[in-house]
Amino acid sequence: GSSAGADQTPTAEMRHHSRTLAQRFYELSAEQGGASSELRLGDYSYYGWGVAATFKDLDTTTAREASDDSLPLMFTNTEVEISAQPVDYEASLARYRKTAEMTVTGEWMSSFVARASFNLGFMYQFGLGVTQDLHTAKQHYHRCREVDPSGIHTPVTMVLLGLGMHLQYLRQIGR
């Protein structure tokens, strides 16, 4: 038989279900302006977690039968298809940017805005979803420090040192 401990280990299916459920709550919170939820949804897009919902494409025969010709099909199609969310850097950039540009209205927001700024810097430094731009990356890393002065700065310092070496390397190879 199996031990009781093994029964409590979350399976991949259980983790997927939990992430999907959490995603819906993050979406509801983000609609209310929640900085932490907006940041988390950026992570969902970056890593390809959760689900994506799209309207099913109806074939033309079904469409002709289903349509009453008064409205285009895009307004009358109600069949939704749920699929695993793919990695989507553009969507994560939009979520991170929205969070990074939020006005910090309370001390609790600083770390979320700072992390979104850091993530934007990283994506610009390595050209993930955007054209690589090391100067914009540097601005985002500095914004991270500026927004959360009491935060942990060792990772930011290290990444700025790495960015400096990255810039130096590109200068040496003539890019």
Side-chain angles (χ1 to χ4, degrees), residues 18 101 117 124:
S18 295
E101 291 173 355
S117 298
Y124 272 96

Side-chain angles (χ1 to χ4, degrees), residues 125 133-135 138 160-175:
Q125 181 175 356
D133 183 339
L134 301 185
H135 296 288
K138 185 177 177 183
L160 281 167
L161 287 169
L163 181 67
M165 290 188 288
H166 196 162
L167 279 164
Q168 199 63 30
Y169 170 75
L170 291 177
R171 282 189 196 115
Q172 286 181 349
I173 64 168
R175 272 186 65 200

